[in-house]
Amino acid sequence: MDRNIDDRLLVRQVLSGNRKAFEQLVRQYEGLVLHIVTPIIGHTADREDICQDIFIKVYEKLETFQFRSKLSTWIGNIAYNTSINFLQKRKNILMGDLFSEQPGVDFSEETFNADEILIEKENTKLLLMAVDRLPGIQKSILLLFHMDELSLEEISQLMEIPVNTVKSHLFRARKSLKEMLTA
Amino acid sequence: MDEKEKINLGEALKQFYSDEPLKINLAASVADKVFAKQKTSATFADKWVFYLVVAAAITLLIFLFRYLLLLNISPALLLLTLPVLGYYWLSAKEVSVLSHKYMQLG
């Protein structure tokens, strides 16, 4: 079944007060939420509370969701804003520092697509270590793009940043991975 | 020479990357919180319904007493009948709650 139709049905069931449908929604998007929360917050004890907080917000705001975007993008946006708000409260991080674009890099489609990395299967442990060393935002974008198969535009909507900034982070993440794997 | 098997980044991440799992069952714990909240607000509404029913019952009793007095029947008869009816009603309610509980467990 088409994922979007699936989501519409699921949302309708949740709004009618179906607890099982809500649990299914949480299970369906738990992975996506973790790909946003964990790189930003880290493996702290707060992760559980933040994830719970995110899905409570999802439930409370679900009535206002009009399917103008994909459900995954909408939930991801809530997850991202909740994580950033948490960080700002805790660490007083400036948003400009998190999203500064690297000047002088051409992110044309050719440059971007050419940057494909091939990994030897026996080097996967090294890859995972390298992924864990990436800065939070880069890691999150990398996981959303490759694992959750979100498009650059969807990630840009989700994080409320320009598409070029998303490309820039992804480009830098891949470049760092390549360097760490060949070092 | 053996050529080593290679996969692209996306495939490698899908196959080998996994987040450290949460220590809680997220779906169940969030559902508990969300649906407990709903239950609390329903109880608040229930209270108002309860007050209305009590007020209606008292009004009905007053009218019944007056009606019995008009018919020259002792209101004491009503005072005896009411507790008996109340007892049976509460017993029936308890039976229905228990059967519902057992059905859920089953």
Side-chain angles (χ1 to χ4, degrees), chain A residues 21 32 39 58 80 89 92 116 125 130 136 158 175 180-182:
Chain A
L32 174 101
V58 166
Y80 178 73
K89 275 182 202 161
N92 279 334
E116 195 56 69
K125 264 189 185 170
L158 187 156
K175 200 174 163 214
M180 284 189 250
L181 286 169
T182 51

Side-chain angles (χ1 to χ4, degrees), chain A residues 19-48:
Chain A
R19 184 191 159 116
K20 286 246 153 58
F22 180 62
E23 285 186 17
Q24 193 191 324
L25 183 139
V26 176
R27 276 192 292 272
Q28 207 160 299
Y29 291 103
E30 186 178 343
L32 174 101
V33 166
L34 279 176
H35 290 159
I36 297 165
V37 174
T38 312
I40 296 174
I41 304 295
H43 293 276
T44 64
D46 297 310
R47 217 163 55 117
E48 272 85 8

Side-chain angles (χ1 to χ4, degrees), chain B residues 75-94:
Chain B
L77 191 70
L78 192 69
L79 288 174
L80 278 172
T81 320
L82 277 178
V84 176
L85 284 176
Y87 172 79
Y88 281 114
W89 180 70
L90 284 173
S91 305
K93 204 177 170 190
E94 199 171 340

